[in-house]
Amino acid sequence: MQSIALVAFTDFQLLDLTAPYEVFSAMSGISVHVVSKDGGPVRASSGLTISPTRTLSPDFECDVIFVPGGRGVDSVMRDGEFLRAIASVATRATFVTSVCTGALILGAAGQLRGKRATTHWNYHSLLRDFGAIPTRGRIVRDGNLFTGGGVTAGIDFALALTAQLRGTEEAQAIQLGLEYAPSPPFDCGVPETCPASVIQRVEQSTRETKKHRIEAVRDAVAAMPD
Amino acid sequence: MQSIALVAFTDFQLLDLTAPYEVFSAMSGISVHVVSKDGGPVRASSGLTISPTRTLSPDFECDVIFVPGGRGVDSVMRDGEFLRAIASVATRATFVTSVCTGALILGAAGQLRGKRATTHWNYHSLLRDFGAIPTRGRIVRDGNLFTGGGVTAGIDFALALTAQLRGTEEAQAIQLGLEYAPSPPFDCGVPETCPASVIQRVEQSTRETKKHRIEAVRDAVAAMPD
């Protein structure tokens, strides 16, 4: 049976992980695991605590590894042991995937070098530091690497991966089961379509977060093996 | 400070709850709680276990009560004590809300009588048994009652409620923060746009679930006080 491992860590973004989890869990013939560094409960940045089902050891076997983003990526990017485990599992996986700022963790784990990748719009330029080719898109595929945009891109990404693994009809059935016919109340999900005042508001409220993230990326790049 | 209570129960649909939770948690000046019957850990239908932060006693105070759906609604619809607690909290809340088959729980708790409401497309006709006026829609509002369609409607619902509680700009900022510019891989999120073979596949795989749900609704209606 194929298996998918979703990596959880303190202060991960809840929806980054739970949206793909819900899609993957609806797939036929698949074993879905939420994995963390020590297998213990993990608190999402929004406060909810979840219970992973496995420990992410370097010899963990899975067909797909998936890394969400969130405030906690800064700590993970500085955790050499965790990054080596992720790199080890990713190297043996058929598909290496992320949503949102999970791409920065893949970058720090050396998985983006020379590859086209995307991440949350607010942190997109940081991909270059890891040797990636920053590419805006809801889902960006480069070989066996799938990266998604910010948070909610996880639904689109997971359905696209399902279509890849199980064919169109199964992916369509899951989309229908989740009644995924989105109708956003506003046309402002990306800066390109958003009023300047709203962009400014988000940039202002994430200024400190971004400053710390840039430092974490710098530290991660400095610690990467050549 | 305003507060929102999201009701969790065994075999709830993970994404029904976590998508609104993520939106609500990003709101300013709000206290967000996941509540369950006994306050203990709750396992979602897809397997992940979450830790609620409060117990849903009948005297629990909140401004918004939110009920998700999922396989476990059949048991909740037969749990008179739980339904009375939900009804008690809902009666004193400013907004009574649900996504997906959470509407059936609200119905069993006597909250839909004479009101326009929606639920997952596959169970929509069951709303009538609770005296509701079944109304198809991504979000259906009737006075202080907001009901959303299946699963992923929770994102649209939560952003709409945020706009109601905090104004357009804050809701837009949260939408941008979650990069909610959906791009579904297929146009098949509702039966109206879906190939017949895909609808058939979903109907076939949910035949038993639907049979049991119809029985649970019948039992719930029989147990309702006049």
Side-chain angles (χ1 to χ4, degrees), chain B residues 87-159:
Chain B
S88 166
V89 173
T91 304
R92 287 169 293 114
T94 310
F95 290 103
V96 176
T97 70
S98 67
V99 156
C100 199
T101 49
L104 302 179
I105 294 178
L106 288 182
Q111 302 300 306
L112 300 187
R113 281 199 191 95
K115 299 201 167 171
R116 284 177 294 108
T118 192
T119 186
H120 191 286
W121 61 266
N122 201 14
Y123 306 98
H124 208 269
S125 62
L126 298 175
L127 290 169
R128 200 178 300 279
D129 296 288
F130 294 116
I133 305 157
T135 309
R136 279 298 296 280
R138 191 77 177 157
I139 310 165
V140 172
R141 183 179 178 177
D142 188 332
N144 79 329
L145 176 75
F146 283 73
T147 51
V151 197
T152 55
I155 307 176
D156 302 323
F157 147 74
L159 288 168

Side-chain angles (χ1 to χ4, degrees), chain A residues 13-15 17-19 21-22 25 34 46-51 119-121 136 138 149-152 155-156 159-160 163 168-173 175-191 194-195 197-199 201-202, chain B residues 13-15 17-19 21-22 25 34 46-51 119-121 136 138 149-152 155-156 159-160 163 168-173 175-191 194-195 197-199 201-202:
Chain A
Q13 182 106 23
L14 185 67
L15 193 53
L17 185 143
T18 55
Y21 183 88
E22 198 77 328
S25 299
V34 175
S46 50
L48 199 71
T49 296
I50 64 159
S51 301
T119 185
H120 191 287
W121 62 267
R136 280 298 295 282
R138 191 77 177 156
V151 196
T152 56
I155 306 175
D156 302 323
L159 287 169
T168 296
E169 195 174 278
E170 181 162 332
Q172 288 179 320
Q175 186 175 336
L176 179 60
L178 298 175
E179 204 168 325
Y180 187 45
S183 176
F186 310 105
D187 180 16
C188 69
V190 285
C194 218
S197 62
V198 174
I199 301 174
R201 188 175 171 142
V202 173
Chain B
Q13 182 107 19
L14 184 67
L15 193 53
L17 185 142
T18 56
Y21 182 89
E22 197 78 330
S25 299
V34 174
S46 49
L48 199 69
T49 297
I50 64 158
S51 301
T119 186
H120 191 286
W121 61 266
R136 279 298 296 280
R138 191 77 177 157
V151 197
T152 55
I155 307 176
D156 302 323
L159 288 168
T168 297
E169 195 173 280
E170 182 163 330
Q172 288 179 321
Q175 187 177 333
L176 179 60
L178 298 175
E179 204 167 324
Y180 187 45
S183 177
F186 309 105
D187 181 16
C188 68
V190 285
C194 219
S197 61
V198 174
I199 301 175
R201 190 177 170 139
V202 173

Side-chain angles (χ1 to χ4, degrees), chain A residues 60-81:
Chain A
F60 190 87
E61 297 283 343
C62 60
D63 298 283
V64 178
I65 180 170
F66 166 78
V67 183
R71 206 162 58 210
V73 299
D74 297 356
S75 297
V76 177
M77 281 194 283
R78 288 185 171 109
D79 184 341
E81 189 189 344

Side-chain angles (χ1 to χ4, degrees), chain A residues 1-5 29-33 60-65:
Chain A
M1 189 181 282
Q2 282 185 312
S3 68
I4 301 184
I30 199 99
S31 172
V32 184
H33 302 289
F60 190 87
E61 297 283 343
C62 60
D63 298 283
V64 178
I65 180 170

Side-chain angles (χ1 to χ4, degrees), chain A residues 7-8 33 88 91 94 103 111 124 141-142 150 170 190 218 222:
Chain A
V7 181
H33 302 289
S88 166
T91 304
T94 310
Q111 301 300 307
H124 208 270
R141 182 177 180 179
D142 188 332
E170 181 162 332
V190 285
R218 200 174 46 202

